[in-house]
Amino acid sequence: DAMVIQNPRYQVTQFGKPVTLSCSQTLNHNVMYWYQQKSSQAPKLLFHYYDKDFNNEADTPDNFQSRRPNTSFCFLDIRSPGLGDAAMYLCATSTPRGANYEQFFGPGTRLTVL
Amino acid sequence: AQSVTQPDIHITVSEGASLELRCNYSYGATPYLFWYVQSPGQGLQLLLKYFSGDTLVQGIKGFEAEFKRSQSSFNLRKPSVHWSDAAEYFCAVPNAGNNRKLIWGLGTSLAVNP
């Protein structure tokens, strides 16, 4: 089945130690998103790629970076994780169907910062 | 500003009872509308979507939603709830300024009593 895959599902890092989360897709969608979701909250968009065009949200901290080396893969880099960065990180993809961009989500990576 | 309101933060129903989760939106034109479900520790799954046409939309897992333009609402319903329906439910609409992005409601947490 076509899908969005996130690895790892659970990641533990130390305060200040860089960490990379990965996302891959077999849907061949041209848009890929990274969201941060804290407990009992809605997902918060960090940034998204439209093809190779990177779109950062205005309130995304500089601590968060992303790379998209090809259509299938997208990475989230947290340069110096703080305790406040502990959250679920969700990757999603979409492609235009008419004027609609329906988003398809991966299972998420739960990040713990010690 | 565009917004999505889910008035109920938390709802508890008994298994087998009917369910209605409310969603109201503010949008200048008829929007696309989405309902997503998130089981604990999982990513988001699309339950159903409204683009145009029939205002009663059928989704997966026995859910349906009705778009009411006069009330700016897109309420989610299920006639008989199962214990496995316990989850977080999010309503979303595309951002009018950039339809690749979604505006999310705060979510409704559903608990199901046996």
Side-chain angles (χ1 to χ4, degrees):
Chain A
D1 285 344
M3 57 195 328
V4 182
I5 302 162
Q6 290 189 243
N7 286 304
R9 293 292 312 277
Y10 301 90
Q11 176 73 57
V12 179
T13 190
Q14 292 179 334
F15 183 94
K17 184 175 181 181
V19 65
T20 295
L21 310 182
S22 73
C23 176
S24 64
Q25 54 137 337
T26 60
L27 297 162
N28 202 33
H29 285 172
N30 56 346
V31 188
M32 294 189 77
Y33 308 79
W34 278 106
Y35 287 90
Q36 180 191 64
Q37 187 182 30
K38 297 191 175 180
S39 183
S40 301
Q41 296 183 18
K44 178 182 182 299
L45 183 65
L46 295 173
F47 24 61
H48 75 279
Y49 279 92
Y50 185 91
D51 293 323
K52 294 185 177 181
D53 183 25
F54 178 70
N55 298 268
N56 199 29
E57 293 301 295
D59 59 354
T60 297
D62 293 340
N63 197 28
F64 292 87
Q65 304 284 317
S66 186
R67 297 169 282 134
R68 189 179 186 186
N70 54 52
T71 299
S72 300
F73 285 87
C74 196
F75 300 97
L76 171 63
D77 301 307
I78 308 177
R79 293 193 296 186
S80 181
L83 298 179
D85 296 328
M88 175 75 89
Y89 290 88
L90 297 166
C91 174
T93 72
S94 72
T95 198
R97 289 191 174 86
N100 170 56
Y101 286 83
E102 175 186 333
Q103 294 189 21
F104 296 80
F105 284 81
T109 295
R110 170 74 62 188
L111 178 68
T112 300
V113 181
L114 300 178
Chain B
Q2 212 177 345
S3 66
V4 176
T5 302
Q6 294 181 246
D8 305 304
I9 296 172
H10 186 85
I11 286 181
T12 300
V13 299
S14 296
E15 191 167 18
S18 63
L19 172 70
E20 183 171 36
L21 302 183
R22 296 181 290 164
C23 174
N24 295 94
Y25 64 89
S26 68
Y27 197 86
T30 299
Y32 298 124
L33 293 152
F34 302 96
W35 273 102
Y36 283 87
V37 61
Q38 186 176 31
S39 297
Q42 301 296 318
L44 286 90
Q45 181 181 22
L46 182 68
L47 276 177
L48 45 77
K49 58 194 176 190
Y50 173 78
F51 295 159
S52 64
D54 193 345
T55 57
L56 185 62
V57 179
Q58 301 298 318
I60 62 171
K61 305 185 180 191
F63 284 90
E64 66 179 24
E66 186 172 13
F67 169 60
K68 293 185 177 180
R69 185 196 309 272
S70 62
Q71 298 176 19
S72 297
S73 69
F74 188 54
N75 293 348
L76 182 71
R77 301 194 294 248
K78 187 170 184 178
S80 177
V81 170
H82 188 262
W83 63 267
S84 61
D85 293 324
E88 191 84 18
Y89 292 80
F90 293 97
C91 182
V93 300
N95 185 315
N98 181 339
N99 63 355
R100 296 198 297 265
K101 302 194 289 187
L102 290 173
I103 294 177
W104 297 86
L106 295 181
T108 298
S109 176
L110 175 66
V112 180
N113 287 333

